[in-house]
Amino acid sequence: MTIQPPATAWRHARRALGAAAGGARQGDRQGKARVLLVLAGFGLLYAALALRLTVLGVASADWKDGPGAFAQSASMSRPDIVDRNGETLATDIKTASLFAEPRRIVDPDEASEQLATVFPDLDRDRLRRQLATNSAFLYLKREITPRQQQQVHSLGIPGIGFRVENKRFYPGGPTAGHILGAVNVDNQGIAGIERYIDSSYLNDLAAAGFATQRALEPVRLATDLRVQHAVRNELADAMARYHAIAAVGIVMNVRTGEIVGMSSLPDYDPNDRAQVLDKDRMNRATVGVFEMGSTFKGFTAAMALDSGAARINESFDATSGLAIGGFRINDFHGKRRWLTVPEVFIYSSNIGTGRMVLKAGTDVQRDYFSRFGFLSELRTELPETGAPIVPKLPWSKISSVTMAFGHGISVSPLQTAAAGAALINGGVYVPPTFLPRTEEEAMQVAHRVLKPETSDYLRHLFRLNVIKGSGKRASVAGYRVGGKTGTAEKVVNGRYSSSKRRNAFLAGFPMDDPRYLVLVVLDEPEPEKPGIGATAGLNTAPAVAGIIRRIAPMLGVEPLLIDPEEEPAMALASAL
């Protein structure tokens, strides 16, 4: 055995200690790596658990008390629709639809029998066959009631669940049905403003994934719910009083073109989709096209005066009938004398009106009818619209004459209202709209159709007709109302019927500074009492008066302090 010197031994010992220390350090590093690896594994595990819990937490709102009750929202959200004052006209509510996962159904026979106890209207044999398939998803019943949902839930049938969906709800029911339109079972617009919303932007939002369960900005309409209710109520009363089969009422701001109220009866409740498909409940205000009768005499008078074919103090021969091409035009209550332009208007003379249009000429008439929008389809936000029915060109003299007093040409009531607004608002045609619009915005889309002085003449003629003519029953105490009657015989089996007519009254107020136009149409009204007639002056004129009496205060039109019927006659009255 060799004994090493102390110095050498010390060096070997130090090396040995260093090696041992190095081994320990290497072991420590490996241990730490193992610990970090374990920690990383646990971290991933907890992250996966957290992610799963998050998913379950999000879905928990759609989980209804255990198996067989999975709920998932699928239908598209829609924006609320509100009137001009912010009153809700349409909104989304949550409802449940019943679905099945047939491949999870244990006993189709038992399941179908149990479901039939809650839904007796279901075809049991068909339901049994559906549940016996291996399909993954099947709707059984859309939009069920909360009570039905609870009853099905209590059955505890595996493979049967509920899907939470959006359902459109209209608080006012039928009040504004034709304006709002309706949606289908998938909450997609199929008529009215609802369809307009879809085609304008909602379909694009839905395709991009931005229209599901998101709060969308409400769509505000120009409609005033108070006015809308008054119009519908007065129409319903008029239909009952005169036993009419249908009615239309329109209130329009003549300065902006806004449709403040519009109703067509019979109407429908958009909460009941079956009513929407009823052809008798169509929107006659925009889809229906009718002969508007003597309301057209206002447009003919405007054409004659504006074109220079007639002067306000000029007279036309109405001593006898007007013979044209084998036809003879007569007056309903003929005066059998020469009539001034104001007299032709307030006595509603077919003869005088025919002579005016003959003097102006067919080309001039066609030009002005085009300006008024009678020769083309009227487009608004509502997709439902009817194309006018106009004689083929070239127009014959008899066609020109009959169109002058509203026969032989059919247009929609809304077309008539929009054109009528131009007669009294200073001569500017403003396209109608169901959305809010300022006067400045209206002037950007408007175009002049008459000289301002021509519009002044028409305002006076309208006013005179209520003071002295066929529109006396449209008078409203405290308000300067003006208007024109229109009584048109309906065509039955290709011939005009003397017993069936469509009456109209086109009015504006206040006539010294017109702000609103009101049009009422009654289809086949009968005499209010035996022994009296059923002309427009006897039924649509008082219906207009009823509407104005109710809506004028709502719209901020203040009454006069004196009865306007006691005012001095207007300047044109001297022509009588």
Side-chain angles (χ1 to χ4, degrees):
M1 174 175 163
T2 305
I3 300 176
Q4 297 180 344
T8 302
W10 174 253
R11 283 195 298 272
H12 284 297
R14 192 167 57 182
R15 290 192 193 100
L17 289 172
R25 284 195 296 273
Q26 184 176 0
D28 289 343
R29 285 195 295 271
Q30 292 176 346
K32 290 180 179 179
R34 293 190 189 97
V35 171
L36 291 175
L37 185 61
V38 172
L39 290 176
F42 276 111
L44 290 174
L45 177 61
Y46 282 118
L49 290 173
L51 179 61
R52 180 58 178 165
L53 289 173
T54 301
V55 173
L56 292 176
V58 172
S60 64
D62 291 333
W63 184 265
K64 304 296 182 184
D65 302 323
F70 179 74
Q72 178 184 351
S73 178
S75 58
M76 181 170 62
S77 294
R78 304 185 63 82
D80 285 356
I81 302 177
V82 299
D83 82 335
R84 64 186 306 114
N85 301 311
E87 295 292 333
T88 300
L89 301 176
T91 190
D92 277 354
I93 60 175
K94 297 298 180 183
T95 186
S97 289
L98 181 68
F99 74 87
E101 298 173 272
R103 62 188 179 188
R104 292 184 56 212
I105 300 294
V106 177
D107 188 339
D109 291 337
E110 182 182 1
S112 60
E113 290 297 326
Q114 288 182 304
L115 290 173
T117 63
V118 182
F119 304 103
D121 57 319
L122 289 178
D123 186 328
R124 297 190 186 189
D125 293 335
R126 182 171 180 268
L127 178 59
R128 186 181 298 107
R129 291 193 300 269
Q130 290 176 326
L131 297 182
T133 65
N134 196 37
S135 59
F137 181 88
L138 173 69
Y139 270 121
L140 300 181
K141 193 81 171 176
R142 303 294 290 273
E143 299 178 354
I144 64 176
T145 67
R147 180 171 183 175
Q148 290 171 330
Q149 182 180 8
Q150 182 58 46
Q151 288 175 325
V152 174
H153 176 69
S154 299
L155 296 175
I157 307 173
I160 300 296
F162 308 104
R163 201 168 196 176
V164 177
E165 296 184 306
N166 293 308
K167 178 182 179 181
R168 205 61 164 165
F169 176 63
Y170 303 88
T175 303
H178 282 119
I179 296 177
L180 297 173
V183 299
N184 62 18
V185 72
D186 293 314
N187 222 31
Q188 298 169 331
I190 58 174
I193 290 296
E194 294 283 25
R195 186 174 174 186
Y196 164 77
I197 291 172
D198 283 34
S199 60
S200 295
Y201 66 91
L202 193 59
N203 284 340
D204 293 336
L205 285 179
F210 292 108
T212 302
Q213 304 307 316
R214 289 175 178 262
L216 301 173
E217 188 72 20
V219 174
R220 187 177 298 271
L221 301 184
T223 306
D224 188 315
L225 185 57
R226 303 168 302 171
V227 172
Q228 182 68 25
H229 172 74
V231 171
R232 184 176 184 274
N233 185 252
E234 290 295 325
L235 289 184
D237 286 350
M239 283 183 65
R241 184 179 307 116
Y242 305 111
H243 307 287
I245 64 173
V248 171
I250 297 172
V251 177
M252 178 180 178
N253 185 319
V254 301
R255 301 174 183 175
T256 65
E258 294 172 299
I259 305 302
V260 185
M262 185 190 78
S263 187
S264 172
L265 300 180
D267 54 12
Y268 58 76
D269 184 346
N271 292 304
D272 183 356
R273 297 190 189 94
Q275 295 185 16
V276 181
L277 303 177
D278 187 344
K279 61 182 179 60
D280 190 49
R281 299 174 186 270
M282 74 170 186
N283 184 0
R284 289 170 169 81
T286 62
V287 177
V289 290
F290 314 115
E291 293 185 353
M292 296 300 293
S294 294
T295 57
F296 261 53
K297 290 172 181 172
F299 304 111
T300 300
M303 171 206 67
L305 293 170
D306 200 69
S307 66
R311 300 182 305 278
I312 194 65
N313 58 355
E314 187 172 351
S315 297
F316 291 86
D317 184 7
T319 55
S320 60
L322 176 62
I324 302 178
F327 296 91
R328 192 168 188 83
I329 307 299
N330 289 295
D331 287 340
F332 185 62
H333 291 299
K335 297 298 180 181
R336 302 298 175 184
R337 60 180 176 83
W338 285 69
L339 301 175
T340 63
V341 170
E343 287 178 321
V344 168
F345 189 83
I346 67 172
Y347 297 143
S348 200
S349 171
N350 294 337
I351 300 170
T353 303
R355 293 194 185 280
M356 276 197 287
V357 76
L358 288 176
K359 186 176 180 182
T362 301
D363 291 340
V364 173
Q365 182 188 38
R366 189 168 66 249
D367 173 42
Y368 276 85
F369 274 18
S370 178
R371 296 187 194 186
F372 291 133
F374 293 146
L375 306 185
S376 57
E377 193 170 326
L378 177 64
R379 294 291 184 181
T380 67
E381 293 82 11
L382 299 191
E384 299 82 25
T385 183
I389 302 174
V390 184
K392 293 182 179 179
L393 294 174
W395 292 349
S396 64
K397 285 188 177 181
I398 186 62
S399 292
S400 183
V401 168
T402 56
M403 285 190 292
F405 50 80
H407 286 74
I409 181 172
S410 297
V411 298
S412 71
L414 187 57
Q415 279 182 295
T416 306
L423 296 183
I424 61 176
N425 71 357
V428 178
Y429 182 91
V430 186
T433 180
F434 291 87
L435 302 179
R437 181 197 282 162
T438 65
E439 291 187 33
E440 292 74 17
E441 292 169 337
M443 290 304 101
Q444 294 177 5
V445 297
H447 60 275
R448 180 163 293 283
V449 295
L450 298 172
K451 301 169 186 174
E453 53 267 31
T454 303
S455 179
D456 288 342
Y457 283 140
L458 265 295
R459 288 194 294 108
H460 292 313
L461 291 177
F462 270 48
R463 179 66 182 137
L464 281 174
N465 194 44
V466 171
I467 295 175
K468 298 186 177 183
S470 59
K472 290 179 181 179
R473 296 189 70 183
S475 179
V476 179
Y479 294 96
R480 290 190 175 99
V481 178
K484 182 69 187 78
T485 51
T487 302
E489 294 179 343
K490 295 181 66 174
V491 176
V492 179
N493 297 324
R495 300 180 64 87
Y496 284 104
S497 170
S498 59
S499 60
K500 295 181 183 295
R501 58 182 59 83
R502 186 178 288 108
N503 293 351
F505 194 83
L506 180 68
F509 74 99
M511 292 311 294
D512 53 328
D513 186 18
R515 291 175 56 186
Y516 296 98
L517 174 141
V518 180
L519 172 65
V520 167
V521 181
L522 292 178
D523 195 353
E524 295 188 20
E526 297 178 4
E528 183 177 8
K529 298 176 181 179
I532 66 174
T535 61
L538 296 174
N539 43 56
T540 54
V544 166
I547 291 174
I548 294 175
R549 191 175 294 113
R550 292 178 62 174
I551 70 173
M554 301 175 186
L555 297 173
V557 183
E558 297 183 0
L560 300 173
L561 297 178
I562 61 172
D563 189 336
E565 307 305 352
E566 296 177 359
E567 65 189 0
M570 292 185 175
L572 290 182
S574 59
L576 299 180

